Amino acid sequence: MRALVIGVLAVASAVACSSKKQPPVATHSPLADSADQIMYGARFKLTDQGLARAQLEADTAYFFDDNTRQELENVHTTFYTITGAKDAVLTSRHGTINNRTNNMIARKNVVVVSEDGRRLTTPELIYNQQKNQISSDSAFVMTEPNRRLEGVGFRSDPNMKNIQILSGAKGIARGVSTAPVAPAPATAPATAPPATPPPKR
């Protein structure tokens, strides 16, 4: 297992990891039959040019493709600001780390909660380490005090302070609906009054 840890440390997007000697009691995963290595209680630091962007933990990690791809179960990811402060937390049932693209894909029951109260749910999203950005092409709902937004597809920082909705945006802010409103029916143009003839000379 020591050789495995050294190999993972050499990859920029998985700087550190740890494992337990005995796996937890769980149902057998079909990934276990084809994985190159299996790690229980896995922990990774996701970095960009030496800057720690996030720390990811998973109950189980399955390593494939010469340890360049990890399939994860029960994912818990903590995002950090550039000053090292906790920014948001992501949880999901499954995930994939791709060391070639520096992306982490979270799938199934994905929830992101920021430190200041925003909460986003979606079936799947991608976290890009270099951009420090979460994104998705799936339907999503984001809630916070006095506001609710939903749509299909988004791009955002992990804290969700700056979110771009790709399509179908609608929501409620302080009780006022921001859903698109149907245009009013067109009315016939007003008829101009008849011209007054010039006075006779």
Side-chain angles (χ1 to χ4, degrees):
M1 184 58 69
R2 182 180 179 184
L4 170 62
V5 173
I6 293 173
V8 173
L9 287 174
V11 181
S13 65
V15 175
C17 59
S18 61
S19 65
K20 299 176 182 178
K21 293 183 179 180
Q22 296 297 326
V25 178
T27 57
H28 179 77
S29 170
L31 293 172
D33 297 330
S34 55
D36 299 329
Q37 299 283 349
I38 303 173
M39 182 175 294
Y40 301 97
R43 180 177 298 175
F44 305 88
K45 284 186 178 178
L46 308 181
T47 66
D48 177 42
Q49 298 181 354
L51 177 66
R53 294 292 197 181
Q55 178 167 291
L56 182 152
E57 300 177 6
D59 286 354
T60 311
Y62 303 91
F63 290 76
F64 298 90
D65 305 332
D66 296 325
N67 294 339
T68 61
R69 176 171 63 92
Q70 296 89 48
E71 297 294 337
L72 313 170
E73 293 183 352
N74 297 322
V75 180
H76 184 281
T77 304
T78 302
F79 298 105
Y80 298 99
T81 66
I82 57 174
T83 61
K86 185 178 177 181
D87 205 21
V89 172
L90 177 152
T91 56
S92 65
R93 290 288 303 277
H94 303 290
T96 301
I97 295 177
N98 188 319
N99 299 331
R100 293 192 175 102
T101 61
N102 287 331
N103 285 341
M104 189 274 287
I105 302 173
R107 300 184 305 278
K108 196 171 182 181
N109 299 339
V110 181
V111 179
V112 184
V113 180
S114 72
E115 282 296 282
D116 45 2
R118 283 174 289 277
R119 185 177 191 271
L120 182 144
T121 60
T122 187
E124 178 175 308
L125 67 73
I126 298 174
Y127 171 63
N128 183 289
Q129 294 167 232
Q130 293 178 333
K131 296 180 180 180
N132 193 36
Q133 179 188 75
I134 58 175
S135 63
S136 178
D137 294 326
S138 301
F140 76 94
V141 174
M142 189 189 81
T143 58
E144 61 180 308
N146 300 319
R147 188 165 76 144
R148 172 190 169 96
L149 292 174
E150 59 183 276
V152 179
F154 69 89
R155 305 286 182 267
S156 177
D157 56 310
N159 189 274
M160 297 169 286
K161 287 182 179 178
N162 301 296
I163 184 167
Q164 175 190 7
I165 301 174
L166 302 185
S167 65
K170 60 181 179 178
I172 296 174
R174 296 184 181 275
V176 178
S177 174
T178 58
V181 178
T187 57
T191 303
T196 303
K200 294 181 181 181
R201 293 182 179 180

PDB file of all heavy atoms in Angstrom, residues 155-173:
ATOM      1  N   ARG A 155     -23.042  27.578 -14.199  1.00  0.00           N
ATOM      2  CA  ARG A 155     -21.614  27.726 -13.949  1.00  0.00           C
ATOM      3  C   ARG A 155     -21.490  28.592 -12.705  1.00  0.00           C
ATOM      4  O   ARG A 155     -22.171  29.607 -12.592  1.00  0.00           O
ATOM      5  CB  ARG A 155     -20.893  28.399 -15.126  1.00  0.00           C
ATOM      6  CG  ARG A 155     -21.102  27.725 -16.485  1.00  0.00           C
ATOM      7  CD  ARG A 155     -20.318  26.430 -16.599  1.00  0.00           C
ATOM      8  NE  ARG A 155     -20.492  25.835 -17.918  1.00  0.00           N
ATOM      9  CZ  ARG A 155     -21.404  24.930 -18.231  1.00  0.00           C
ATOM     10  NH1 ARG A 155     -22.287  24.545 -17.303  1.00  0.00           N
ATOM     11  NH2 ARG A 155     -21.474  24.407 -19.430  1.00  0.00           N
ATOM     12  N   SER A 156     -20.608  28.221 -11.768  1.00  0.00           N
ATOM     13  CA  SER A 156     -20.551  28.971 -10.520  1.00  0.00           C
ATOM     14  C   SER A 156     -19.246  28.712  -9.781  1.00  0.00           C
ATOM     15  O   SER A 156     -18.570  27.706 -10.007  1.00  0.00           O
ATOM     16  CB  SER A 156     -21.733  28.575  -9.614  1.00  0.00           C
ATOM     17  OG  SER A 156     -21.661  29.234  -8.366  1.00  0.00           O
ATOM     18  N   ASP A 157     -18.889  29.647  -8.906  1.00  0.00           N
ATOM     19  CA  ASP A 157     -17.839  29.375  -7.929  1.00  0.00           C
ATOM     20  C   ASP A 157     -18.420  28.418  -6.887  1.00  0.00           C
ATOM     21  O   ASP A 157     -19.644  28.333  -6.733  1.00  0.00           O
ATOM     22  CB  ASP A 157     -17.379  30.675  -7.264  1.00  0.00           C
ATOM     23  CG  ASP A 157     -18.537  31.431  -6.623  1.00  0.00           C
ATOM     24  OD1 ASP A 157     -19.554  31.636  -7.313  1.00  0.00           O
ATOM     25  OD2 ASP A 157     -18.432  31.792  -5.447  1.00  0.00           O
ATOM     26  N   PRO A 158     -17.587  27.655  -6.156  1.00  0.00           N
ATOM     27  CA  PRO A 158     -18.125  26.685  -5.190  1.00  0.00           C
ATOM     28  C   PRO A 158     -19.024  27.305  -4.128  1.00  0.00           C
ATOM     29  O   PRO A 158     -19.923  26.651  -3.608  1.00  0.00           O
ATOM     30  CB  PRO A 158     -16.858  26.072  -4.573  1.00  0.00           C
ATOM     31  CG  PRO A 158     -15.824  26.195  -5.635  1.00  0.00           C
ATOM     32  CD  PRO A 158     -16.118  27.509  -6.301  1.00  0.00           C
ATOM     33  N   ASN A 159     -18.797  28.588  -3.800  1.00  0.00           N
ATOM     34  CA  ASN A 159     -19.611  29.262  -2.786  1.00  0.00           C
ATOM     35  C   ASN A 159     -20.962  29.710  -3.330  1.00  0.00           C
ATOM     36  O   ASN A 159     -21.851  30.068  -2.578  1.00  0.00           O
ATOM     37  CB  ASN A 159     -18.846  30.474  -2.225  1.00  0.00           C
ATOM     38  CG  ASN A 159     -19.521  31.104  -1.036  1.00  0.00           C
ATOM     39  OD1 ASN A 159     -20.390  31.950  -1.212  1.00  0.00           O
ATOM     40  ND2 ASN A 159     -19.140  30.695   0.146  1.00  0.00           N
ATOM     41  N   MET A 160     -21.116  29.703  -4.670  1.00  0.00           N
ATOM     42  CA  MET A 160     -22.361  30.063  -5.355  1.00  0.00           C
ATOM     43  C   MET A 160     -22.735  31.531  -5.204  1.00  0.00           C
ATOM     44  O   MET A 160     -23.894  31.908  -5.278  1.00  0.00           O
ATOM     45  CB  MET A 160     -23.514  29.160  -4.890  1.00  0.00           C
ATOM     46  CG  MET A 160     -23.300  27.698  -5.224  1.00  0.00           C
ATOM     47  SD  MET A 160     -24.478  26.586  -4.406  1.00  0.00           S
ATOM     48  CE  MET A 160     -23.852  26.612  -2.711  1.00  0.00           C
ATOM     49  N   LYS A 161     -21.724  32.387  -4.999  1.00  0.00           N
ATOM     50  CA  LYS A 161     -21.986  33.818  -4.967  1.00  0.00           C
ATOM     51  C   LYS A 161     -22.195  34.370  -6.367  1.00  0.00           C
ATOM     52  O   LYS A 161     -22.932  35.331  -6.556  1.00  0.00           O
ATOM     53  CB  LYS A 161     -20.824  34.555  -4.280  1.00  0.00           C
ATOM     54  CG  LYS A 161     -20.758  34.364  -2.783  1.00  0.00           C
ATOM     55  CD  LYS A 161     -19.611  35.155  -2.187  1.00  0.00           C
ATOM     56  CE  LYS A 161     -19.565  34.990  -0.673  1.00  0.00           C
ATOM     57  NZ  LYS A 161     -18.405  35.723  -0.078  1.00  0.00           N
ATOM     58  N   ASN A 162     -21.502  33.790  -7.333  1.00  0.00           N
ATOM     59  CA  ASN A 162     -21.609  34.232  -8.721  1.00  0.00           C
ATOM     60  C   ASN A 162     -22.041  33.041  -9.563  1.00  0.00           C
ATOM     61  O   ASN A 162     -21.212  32.235  -9.975  1.00  0.00           O
ATOM     62  CB  ASN A 162     -20.268  34.780  -9.219  1.00  0.00           C
ATOM     63  CG  ASN A 162     -19.787  35.951  -8.392  1.00  0.00           C
ATOM     64  OD1 ASN A 162     -20.425  36.995  -8.356  1.00  0.00           O
ATOM     65  ND2 ASN A 162     -18.661  35.778  -7.709  1.00  0.00           N
ATOM     66  N   ILE A 163     -23.329  32.933  -9.808  1.00  0.00           N
ATOM     67  CA  ILE A 163     -23.864  31.782 -10.528  1.00  0.00           C
ATOM     68  C   ILE A 163     -24.476  32.243 -11.852  1.00  0.00           C
ATOM     69  O   ILE A 163     -25.200  33.239 -11.891  1.00  0.00           O
ATOM     70  CB  ILE A 163     -24.892  31.010  -9.675  1.00  0.00           C
ATOM     71  CG1 ILE A 163     -25.370  29.751 -10.418  1.00  0.00           C
ATOM     72  CG2 ILE A 163     -26.057  31.892  -9.261  1.00  0.00           C
ATOM     73  CD1 ILE A 163     -26.129  28.777  -9.531  1.00  0.00           C
ATOM     74  N   GLN A 164     -24.143  31.545 -12.914  1.00  0.00           N
ATOM     75  CA  GLN A 164     -24.696  31.809 -14.234  1.00  0.00           C
ATOM     76  C   GLN A 164     -25.609  30.653 -14.609  1.00  0.00           C
ATOM     77  O   GLN A 164     -25.161  29.509 -14.694  1.00  0.00           O
ATOM     78  CB  GLN A 164     -23.572  31.949 -15.269  1.00  0.00           C
ATOM     79  CG  GLN A 164     -24.070  32.111 -16.693  1.00  0.00           C
ATOM     80  CD  GLN A 164     -22.951  32.007 -17.711  1.00  0.00           C
ATOM     81  OE1 GLN A 164     -21.821  31.693 -17.375  1.00  0.00           O
ATOM     82  NE2 GLN A 164     -23.276  32.256 -18.955  1.00  0.00           N
ATOM     83  N   ILE A 165     -26.881  30.936 -14.821  1.00  0.00           N
ATOM     84  CA  ILE A 165     -27.855  29.914 -15.198  1.00  0.00           C
ATOM     85  C   ILE A 165     -27.914  29.834 -16.715  1.00  0.00           C
ATOM     86  O   ILE A 165     -28.081  30.848 -17.393  1.00  0.00           O
ATOM     87  CB  ILE A 165     -29.234  30.240 -14.607  1.00  0.00           C
ATOM     88  CG1 ILE A 165     -29.137  30.326 -13.079  1.00  0.00           C
ATOM     89  CG2 ILE A 165     -30.254  29.186 -15.005  1.00  0.00           C
ATOM     90  CD1 ILE A 165     -30.413  30.775 -12.402  1.00  0.00           C
ATOM     91  N   LEU A 166     -27.771  28.632 -17.255  1.00  0.00           N
ATOM     92  CA  LEU A 166     -27.675  28.476 -18.702  1.00  0.00           C
ATOM     93  C   LEU A 166     -29.025  28.535 -19.399  1.00  0.00           C
ATOM     94  O   LEU A 166     -29.128  29.074 -20.498  1.00  0.00           O
ATOM     95  CB  LEU A 166     -26.954  27.168 -19.034  1.00  0.00           C
ATOM     96  CG  LEU A 166     -25.545  27.028 -18.450  1.00  0.00           C
ATOM     97  CD1 LEU A 166     -24.891  25.753 -18.943  1.00  0.00           C
ATOM     98  CD2 LEU A 166     -24.686  28.237 -18.799  1.00  0.00           C
ATOM     99  N   SER A 167     -30.069  27.953 -18.813  1.00  0.00           N
ATOM    100  CA  SER A 167     -31.380  28.002 -19.461  1.00  0.00           C
ATOM    101  C   SER A 167     -32.478  27.727 -18.442  1.00  0.00           C
ATOM    102  O   SER A 167     -32.230  27.155 -17.384  1.00  0.00           O
ATOM    103  CB  SER A 167     -31.467  26.977 -20.607  1.00  0.00           C
ATOM    104  OG  SER A 167     -31.376  25.663 -20.098  1.00  0.00           O
ATOM    105  N   GLY A 168     -33.696  28.147 -18.789  1.00  0.00           N
ATOM    106  CA  GLY A 168     -34.866  27.868 -17.963  1.00  0.00           C
ATOM    107  C   GLY A 168     -34.835  28.520 -16.597  1.00  0.00           C
ATOM    108  O   GLY A 168     -35.405  27.995 -15.645  1.00  0.00           O
ATOM    109  N   ALA A 169     -34.192  29.680 -16.470  1.00  0.00           N
ATOM    110  CA  ALA A 169     -34.065  30.321 -15.155  1.00  0.00           C
ATOM    111  C   ALA A 169     -35.406  30.828 -14.659  1.00  0.00           C
ATOM    112  O   ALA A 169     -36.152  31.468 -15.378  1.00  0.00           O
ATOM    113  CB  ALA A 169     -33.079  31.470 -15.245  1.00  0.00           C
ATOM    114  N   LYS A 170     -35.711  30.516 -13.413  1.00  0.00           N
ATOM    115  CA  LYS A 170     -36.887  31.058 -12.757  1.00  0.00           C
ATOM    116  C   LYS A 170     -36.686  30.922 -11.258  1.00  0.00           C
ATOM    117  O   LYS A 170     -35.812  30.190 -10.790  1.00  0.00           O
ATOM    118  CB  LYS A 170     -38.161  30.338 -13.193  1.00  0.00           C
ATOM    119  CG  LYS A 170     -38.186  28.850 -12.902  1.00  0.00           C
ATOM    120  CD  LYS A 170     -39.484  28.231 -13.406  1.00  0.00           C
ATOM    121  CE  LYS A 170     -39.518  26.735 -13.144  1.00  0.00           C
ATOM    122  NZ  LYS A 170     -40.794  26.129 -13.593  1.00  0.00           N
ATOM    123  N   GLY A 171     -37.500  31.646 -10.503  1.00  0.00           N
ATOM    124  CA  GLY A 171     -37.343  31.562  -9.064  1.00  0.00           C
ATOM    125  C   GLY A 171     -38.201  32.551  -8.332  1.00  0.00           C
ATOM    126  O   GLY A 171     -39.053  33.232  -8.907  1.00  0.00           O
ATOM    127  N   ILE A 172     -37.952  32.643  -7.038  1.00  0.00           N
ATOM    128  CA  ILE A 172     -38.693  33.535  -6.154  1.00  0.00           C
ATOM    129  C   ILE A 172     -37.671  34.275  -5.295  1.00  0.00           C
ATOM    130  O   ILE A 172     -36.760  33.658  -4.740  1.00  0.00           O
ATOM    131  CB  ILE A 172     -39.675  32.770  -5.255  1.00  0.00           C
ATOM    132  CG1 ILE A 172     -40.755  32.087  -6.118  1.00  0.00           C
ATOM    133  CG2 ILE A 172     -40.329  33.690  -4.242  1.00  0.00           C
ATOM    134  CD1 ILE A 172     -41.681  31.199  -5.327  1.00  0.00           C
ATOM    135  N   ALA A 173     -37.793  35.580  -5.196  1.00  0.00           N
ATOM    136  CA  ALA A 173     -36.923  36.387  -4.355  1.00  0.00           C
ATOM    137  C   ALA A 173     -37.782  37.245  -3.439  1.00  0.00           C
ATOM    138  O   ALA A 173     -38.597  38.037  -3.913  1.00  0.00           O
ATOM    139  CB  ALA A 173     -36.014  37.271  -5.213  1.00  0.00           C
TER     140      ALA A 173
END
